[in-house]
Amino acid sequence: MIRDSSRKPTREGVAEAYEKIAAILPPTPLMPVDIGGVQCWAKAEVLQPVGAFKIRGAWHRLSALSEEERERGVVAVSSGNHAQGVAWAARRLGIPATIVMPRNAPQVKLDATRALGAEVVLYERPGEDRDEVAARLIGESGATLVHAFADAWVIEGQGSAGIEAEKQLGRTPSRFIACCGGGGLAAGLALACPTSAIHPVEPEGWDMVGQSLAAGEIVRVAADPPKTICDALQPDATKDINLTVLLGRAEPGVAVTDDEVREAQRFAFRNLRLVVEPGGAAALAAALSGKVPVDADTVIMLTGGNTDMQSFAQTLASG
């Protein structure tokens, strides 16, 4: 049976994803953190087996494939964290995986993806259309596309972090502050905890979810976008499936600077003893800079920790 790729993500799907993921992975810590004299909470997704929350959506998606789909394999497009999540799930389930990754992705992410057994196909960023590369591979093999954020199962899987945090906190969080690329995590959290405020945080110049929320329609990145150290948060645009969930549900988007992100990385290392990559520190940067308010029931998502030693050491030294 071929699964319906047009299905929409649901709260019931998030609950199912939570049960599936809880059966194979321990919960990541919900850590108290003091920001401006207020104790709130940081969800340490950096401590997942692949160093990022992306393992959640990948597991929910791949474990839902039919036997026929598993035999044909999967294709994913990613700068590194989704790549590792898909590769991890594919190896555990015995599914061939091909990952389309930018040639300038951090070497630590390229190496980790290959080490998990996936085939890596490189493309030039900027210059080549990664979706065209993926479409060609799928046309040749009949593989299933596992989109990094525009997939119902992936959205539901990412949302499992919200149910997990709610159970750990013992009450519904007042708000989630979420690092945001294409909006998969933000949409999943919105479904998981319908009464919690959802604050998507993106790099300056790459705040396509925030701009799309403001416009009420999809806005694409400018032709000459600024550079950002947040390599994990650089989709050209969000997708309809994400925006549909977030419109009327998410708070206005927030954009953070590279300097704010670096300070958040240093703060997490100093106060939480955690290594957080730039894209994984964006939400914390928004809280520390005062761009998003915090209270005792705020959960800040620390979404990824896949950074190389040299760049992380430079960030620590620069502070």
Side-chain angles (χ1 to χ4, degrees):
M1 179 182 69
I2 303 300
R3 306 287 179 176
D4 179 9
S5 61
S6 67
R7 72 179 280 267
K8 306 302 181 186
T10 65
R11 175 62 173 72
E12 293 72 23
V14 176
E16 178 188 355
Y18 168 77
E19 295 296 337
K20 288 166 60 176
I21 291 160
I24 65 163
L25 294 172
T28 56
L30 191 66
M31 306 174 68
V33 57
D34 187 287
I35 295 180
V38 177
Q39 182 190 286
C40 50
W41 303 90
K43 182 73 167 143
E45 289 291 291
V46 298
L47 298 178
Q48 291 286 9
V50 300
F53 77 101
K54 294 285 192 175
I55 195 171
R56 295 177 179 271
W59 181 256
H60 187 44
R61 184 66 182 101
L62 268 65
S63 61
L65 294 175
S66 67
E67 288 303 319
E68 181 184 350
E69 289 170 320
R70 294 186 185 197
E71 289 176 4
R72 292 200 302 267
V74 296
V75 170
V77 177
S78 170
S79 66
N81 289 339
H82 179 61
Q84 292 174 70
V86 171
W88 186 92
R91 182 173 70 174
R92 185 170 178 126
L93 292 167
I95 299 173
T98 301
I99 316 294
V100 179
M101 301 183 69
R103 193 174 298 277
N104 63 354
Q107 193 63 45
V108 64
K109 295 184 178 182
L110 291 166
D111 292 344
T113 303
R114 292 188 177 106
L116 286 166
E119 178 185 355
V120 172
V121 174
L122 299 176
Y123 74 95
E124 297 294 338
R125 179 179 68 178
E128 286 187 275
D129 186 324
R130 61 184 188 176
D131 292 332
E132 288 183 1
V133 176
R136 174 176 55 80
L137 294 169
I138 291 169
E140 293 170 354
S141 65
T144 296
L145 175 66
V146 182
H147 199 281
F149 56 87
D151 178 286
W153 288 272
V154 169
I155 291 169
E156 291 167 351
Q158 318 306 30
S160 69
I163 294 180
E164 189 173 287
E166 184 177 45
K167 289 181 180 295
Q168 291 171 305
L169 191 60
R171 55 192 181 276
T172 301
S174 59
R175 64 175 53 84
F176 286 94
I177 309 177
C179 307
C180 186
L185 175 61
L189 294 172
L191 293 169
C193 298
T195 62
S196 301
I198 307 297
H199 298 267
V201 182
E202 302 167 279
E204 280 194 342
W206 289 89
D207 53 331
M208 311 324 301
V209 169
Q211 291 188 40
S212 298
L213 287 169
E217 61 184 16
I218 291 175
V219 177
R220 300 194 65 82
V221 73
D224 187 23
K227 291 183 178 180
T228 174
I229 60 173
C230 299
D231 65 276
L233 306 180
Q234 291 183 270
D236 293 340
T238 187
K239 300 287 188 180
D240 286 333
I241 190 172
N242 308 92
L243 191 60
T244 297
V245 173
L246 293 171
L247 276 174
R249 178 66 185 85
E251 301 298 311
V254 171
V256 291
T257 68
D258 280 359
D259 284 344
E260 289 167 340
V261 168
R262 290 189 182 96
E263 178 53 35
Q265 289 181 276
R266 291 189 286 266
F267 179 94
F269 184 74
R270 183 171 61 247
N271 294 281
L272 299 174
R273 311 297 187 265
L274 293 175
V275 174
V276 185
E277 67 182 278
L284 180 59
L288 291 172
S289 64
K291 293 180 176 179
V292 178
V294 298
D295 61 22
D297 295 332
T298 295
V299 174
I300 302 166
M301 303 300 295
L302 303 180
T303 52
N306 293 308
T307 182
D308 65 90
M309 289 186 290
Q310 182 177 2
S311 63
F312 189 69
Q314 290 173 346
T315 292
L316 294 182
S318 67

Tab-separated table of all heavy atoms in Angstrom, residues 231-264:
chain	number	residue	atom	x	y	z
A	231	ASP	N	23.385	27.596	9.691
A	231	ASP	CA	23.272	26.810	8.461
A	231	ASP	C	22.039	25.929	8.451
A	231	ASP	O	21.526	25.577	7.387
A	231	ASP	CB	24.529	25.944	8.270
A	231	ASP	CG	24.675	24.899	9.370
A	231	ASP	OD1	25.204	25.231	10.439
A	231	ASP	OD2	24.244	23.753	9.154
A	232	ALA	N	21.530	25.555	9.636
A	232	ALA	CA	20.377	24.658	9.720
A	232	ALA	C	19.057	25.387	9.490
A	232	ALA	O	18.010	24.734	9.399
A	232	ALA	CB	20.354	23.981	11.081
A	233	LEU	N	19.090	26.722	9.383
A	233	LEU	CA	17.851	27.501	9.301
A	233	LEU	C	17.817	28.338	8.028
A	233	LEU	O	17.532	29.540	8.068
A	233	LEU	CB	17.714	28.405	10.537
A	233	LEU	CG	17.812	27.740	11.907
A	233	LEU	CD1	17.663	28.772	13.013
A	233	LEU	CD2	16.783	26.631	12.056
A	234	GLN	N	18.045	27.698	6.872
A	234	GLN	CA	18.134	28.455	5.628
A	234	GLN	C	17.262	27.931	4.487
A	234	GLN	O	17.679	27.987	3.328
A	234	GLN	CB	19.594	28.491	5.153
A	234	GLN	CG	20.521	29.321	6.020
A	234	GLN	CD	21.925	29.361	5.434
A	234	GLN	OE1	22.774	28.529	5.718
A	234	GLN	NE2	22.149	30.355	4.599
A	235	PRO	N	16.041	27.472	4.726
A	235	PRO	CA	15.178	27.137	3.593
A	235	PRO	C	14.818	28.405	2.808
A	235	PRO	O	14.742	29.498	3.385
A	235	PRO	CB	13.930	26.532	4.254
A	235	PRO	CG	14.350	26.162	5.629
A	235	PRO	CD	15.407	27.158	6.015
A	236	ASP	N	14.589	28.245	1.513
A	236	ASP	CA	14.198	29.399	0.694
A	236	ASP	C	12.818	29.917	1.066
A	236	ASP	O	12.527	31.105	0.896
A	236	ASP	CB	14.206	29.014	-0.794
A	236	ASP	CG	15.607	28.709	-1.298
A	236	ASP	OD1	16.569	29.141	-0.641
A	236	ASP	OD2	15.727	28.036	-2.337
A	237	ALA	N	11.955	29.038	1.542
A	237	ALA	CA	10.583	29.410	1.890
A	237	ALA	C	9.954	28.288	2.696
A	237	ALA	O	10.404	27.144	2.646
A	237	ALA	CB	9.760	29.681	0.637
A	238	THR	N	8.899	28.617	3.413
A	238	THR	CA	8.104	27.582	4.062
A	238	THR	C	7.180	26.968	3.016
A	238	THR	O	7.244	27.312	1.841
A	238	THR	CB	7.303	28.158	5.253
A	238	THR	OG1	6.672	27.083	5.950
A	238	THR	CG2	6.264	29.170	4.812
A	239	LYS	N	6.328	26.051	3.429
A	239	LYS	CA	5.402	25.391	2.506
A	239	LYS	C	3.971	25.553	3.025
A	239	LYS	O	3.728	25.868	4.190
A	239	LYS	CB	5.739	23.898	2.382
A	239	LYS	CG	7.132	23.616	1.867
A	239	LYS	CD	7.270	23.911	0.393
A	239	LYS	CE	8.628	23.424	-0.131
A	239	LYS	NZ	8.813	23.681	-1.578
A	240	ASP	N	3.014	25.293	2.134
A	240	ASP	CA	1.600	25.462	2.484
A	240	ASP	C	1.208	24.635	3.706
A	240	ASP	O	0.441	25.093	4.557
A	240	ASP	CB	0.708	25.070	1.302
A	240	ASP	CG	0.721	26.104	0.194
A	240	ASP	OD1	0.961	27.296	0.501
A	240	ASP	OD2	0.502	25.735	-0.973
A	241	ILE	N	1.707	23.398	3.792
A	241	ILE	CA	1.301	22.510	4.880
A	241	ILE	C	1.705	23.081	6.235
A	241	ILE	O	0.987	22.927	7.226
A	241	ILE	CB	1.892	21.089	4.670
A	241	ILE	CG1	1.267	20.096	5.653
A	241	ILE	CG2	3.408	21.097	4.770
A	241	ILE	CD1	1.674	18.649	5.368
A	242	ASN	N	2.846	23.776	6.288
A	242	ASN	CA	3.308	24.390	7.532
A	242	ASN	C	2.558	25.682	7.823
A	242	ASN	O	2.091	25.907	8.940
A	242	ASN	CB	4.806	24.661	7.458
A	242	ASN	CG	5.602	23.447	7.059
A	242	ASN	OD1	5.858	23.238	5.883
A	242	ASN	ND2	5.991	22.636	8.029
A	243	LEU	N	2.434	26.517	6.798
A	243	LEU	CA	1.791	27.817	6.995
A	243	LEU	C	0.322	27.657	7.367
A	243	LEU	O	-0.204	28.423	8.177
A	243	LEU	CB	1.937	28.663	5.730
A	243	LEU	CG	1.540	30.136	5.863
A	243	LEU	CD1	2.390	30.833	6.930
A	243	LEU	CD2	1.706	30.856	4.522
A	244	THR	N	-0.320	26.647	6.815
A	244	THR	CA	-1.728	26.407	7.137
A	244	THR	C	-1.908	26.137	8.627
A	244	THR	O	-2.863	26.616	9.250
A	244	THR	CB	-2.274	25.223	6.318
A	244	THR	OG1	-2.213	25.554	4.928
A	244	THR	CG2	-3.706	24.904	6.691
A	245	VAL	N	-1.009	25.373	9.208
A	245	VAL	CA	-1.083	25.097	10.648
A	245	VAL	C	-0.788	26.352	11.459
A	245	VAL	O	-1.447	26.639	12.473
A	245	VAL	CB	-0.101	23.976	11.043
A	245	VAL	CG1	-0.055	23.793	12.562
A	245	VAL	CG2	-0.482	22.670	10.370
A	246	LEU	N	0.193	27.140	11.012
A	246	LEU	CA	0.701	28.241	11.823
A	246	LEU	C	-0.124	29.521	11.725
A	246	LEU	O	-0.153	30.313	12.674
A	246	LEU	CB	2.155	28.535	11.447
A	246	LEU	CG	3.152	27.431	11.800
A	246	LEU	CD1	4.515	27.727	11.199
A	246	LEU	CD2	3.261	27.267	13.312
A	247	LEU	N	-0.778	29.750	10.597
A	247	LEU	CA	-1.563	30.974	10.446
A	247	LEU	C	-2.683	31.024	11.482
A	247	LEU	O	-3.462	30.090	11.633
A	247	LEU	CB	-2.148	31.062	9.040
A	247	LEU	CG	-1.251	31.641	7.948
A	247	LEU	CD1	-1.917	31.533	6.588
A	247	LEU	CD2	-0.871	33.092	8.246
A	248	GLY	N	-2.780	32.114	12.202
A	248	GLY	CA	-3.784	32.247	13.235
A	248	GLY	C	-3.458	31.495	14.503
A	248	GLY	O	-4.241	31.505	15.463
A	249	ARG	N	-2.305	30.853	14.522
A	249	ARG	CA	-1.920	30.032	15.673
A	249	ARG	C	-0.591	30.490	16.269
A	249	ARG	O	-0.457	30.605	17.483
A	249	ARG	CB	-1.839	28.561	15.230
A	249	ARG	CG	-1.410	27.587	16.292
A	249	ARG	CD	-2.461	27.485	17.410
A	249	ARG	NE	-1.938	26.619	18.473
A	249	ARG	CZ	-1.156	27.028	19.447
A	249	ARG	NH1	-0.790	28.302	19.528
A	249	ARG	NH2	-0.730	26.187	20.371
A	250	ALA	N	0.393	30.753	15.424
A	250	ALA	CA	1.709	31.162	15.906
A	250	ALA	C	1.743	32.654	16.213
A	250	ALA	O	1.004	33.448	15.627
A	250	ALA	CB	2.783	30.817	14.881
A	251	GLU	N	2.628	33.024	17.117
A	251	GLU	CA	2.899	34.429	17.397
A	251	GLU	C	3.702	35.018	16.236
A	251	GLU	O	4.247	34.273	15.409
A	251	GLU	CB	3.700	34.554	18.697
A	251	GLU	CG	3.000	33.967	19.909
A	251	GLU	CD	1.702	34.659	20.223
A	251	GLU	OE1	1.690	35.904	20.283
A	251	GLU	OE2	0.685	33.961	20.408
A	252	PRO	N	3.795	36.346	16.139
A	252	PRO	CA	4.625	36.938	15.086
A	252	PRO	C	6.050	36.402	15.139
A	252	PRO	O	6.600	36.153	16.223
A	252	PRO	CB	4.582	38.441	15.400
A	252	PRO	CG	3.284	38.626	16.139
A	252	PRO	CD	3.113	37.373	16.946
A	253	GLY	N	6.651	36.210	13.973
A	253	GLY	CA	8.008	35.680	13.919
A	253	GLY	C	9.022	36.654	14.502
A	253	GLY	O	8.801	37.865	14.547
A	254	VAL	N	10.141	36.102	14.946
A	254	VAL	CA	11.231	36.885	15.526
A	254	VAL	C	12.511	36.555	14.765
A	254	VAL	O	12.766	35.380	14.455
A	254	VAL	CB	11.405	36.548	17.023
A	254	VAL	CG1	12.663	37.188	17.579
A	254	VAL	CG2	10.182	37.002	17.805
A	255	ALA	N	13.305	37.573	14.464
A	255	ALA	CA	14.583	37.370	13.788
A	255	ALA	C	15.720	37.734	14.734
A	255	ALA	O	15.641	38.731	15.467
A	255	ALA	CB	14.662	38.212	12.519
A	256	VAL	N	16.788	36.928	14.713
A	256	VAL	CA	17.937	37.167	15.586
A	256	VAL	C	19.197	37.327	14.754
A	256	VAL	O	19.305	36.827	13.632
A	256	VAL	CB	18.124	36.011	16.601
A	256	VAL	CG1	16.990	36.018	17.623
A	256	VAL	CG2	18.205	34.666	15.903
A	257	THR	N	20.162	38.050	15.312
A	257	THR	CA	21.429	38.299	14.633
A	257	THR	C	22.438	37.211	14.951
A	257	THR	O	22.285	36.460	15.926
A	257	THR	CB	22.019	39.654	15.063
A	257	THR	OG1	22.412	39.567	16.445
A	257	THR	CG2	20.994	40.778	14.904
A	258	ASP	N	23.496	37.165	14.156
A	258	ASP	CA	24.570	36.205	14.423
A	258	ASP	C	25.202	36.455	15.792
A	258	ASP	O	25.538	35.509	16.519
A	258	ASP	CB	25.642	36.299	13.337
A	258	ASP	CG	25.257	35.566	12.062
A	258	ASP	OD1	24.168	34.962	12.022
A	258	ASP	OD2	26.051	35.600	11.095
A	259	ASP	N	25.371	37.727	16.147
A	259	ASP	CA	25.976	38.039	17.448
A	259	ASP	C	25.089	37.556	18.588
A	259	ASP	O	25.592	37.043	19.607
A	259	ASP	CB	26.221	39.543	17.574
A	259	ASP	CG	27.425	40.010	16.763
A	259	ASP	OD1	28.233	39.148	16.351
A	259	ASP	OD2	27.552	41.233	16.547
A	260	GLU	N	23.787	37.715	18.452
A	260	GLU	CA	22.862	37.226	19.479
A	260	GLU	C	22.908	35.707	19.584
A	260	GLU	O	22.841	35.142	20.683
A	260	GLU	CB	21.443	37.709	19.172
A	260	GLU	CG	21.267	39.213	19.393
A	260	GLU	CD	19.976	39.754	18.811
A	260	GLU	OE1	19.391	39.097	17.917
A	260	GLU	OE2	19.558	40.859	19.229
A	261	VAL	N	23.054	35.048	18.443
A	261	VAL	CA	23.146	33.594	18.439
A	261	VAL	C	24.439	33.134	19.119
A	261	VAL	O	24.436	32.193	19.926
A	261	VAL	CB	23.061	33.056	16.999
A	261	VAL	CG1	23.456	31.584	16.935
A	261	VAL	CG2	21.646	33.246	16.442
A	262	ARG	N	25.539	33.785	18.811
A	262	ARG	CA	26.805	33.410	19.445
A	262	ARG	C	26.731	33.588	20.962
A	262	ARG	O	27.243	32.758	21.723
A	262	ARG	CB	27.948	34.245	18.865
A	262	ARG	CG	28.300	33.911	17.419
A	262	ARG	CD	29.575	34.627	16.999
A	262	ARG	NE	29.905	34.372	15.616
A	262	ARG	CZ	29.589	35.170	14.596
A	262	ARG	NH1	28.937	36.320	14.835
A	262	ARG	NH2	29.928	34.861	13.361
A	263	GLU	N	26.119	34.657	21.401
A	263	GLU	CA	25.988	34.864	22.839
A	263	GLU	C	25.134	33.766	23.467
A	263	GLU	O	25.406	33.308	24.580
A	263	GLU	CB	25.374	36.237	23.124
A	263	GLU	CG	25.159	36.531	24.616
A	263	GLU	CD	26.418	36.333	25.455
A	263	GLU	OE1	27.538	36.624	24.964
A	263	GLU	OE2	26.283	35.869	26.615
A	264	ALA	N	24.113	33.323	22.762
A	264	ALA	CA	23.283	32.223	23.261
A	264	ALA	C	24.081	30.928	23.348
A	264	ALA	O	23.915	30.150	24.303
A	264	ALA	CB	22.070	32.039	22.357
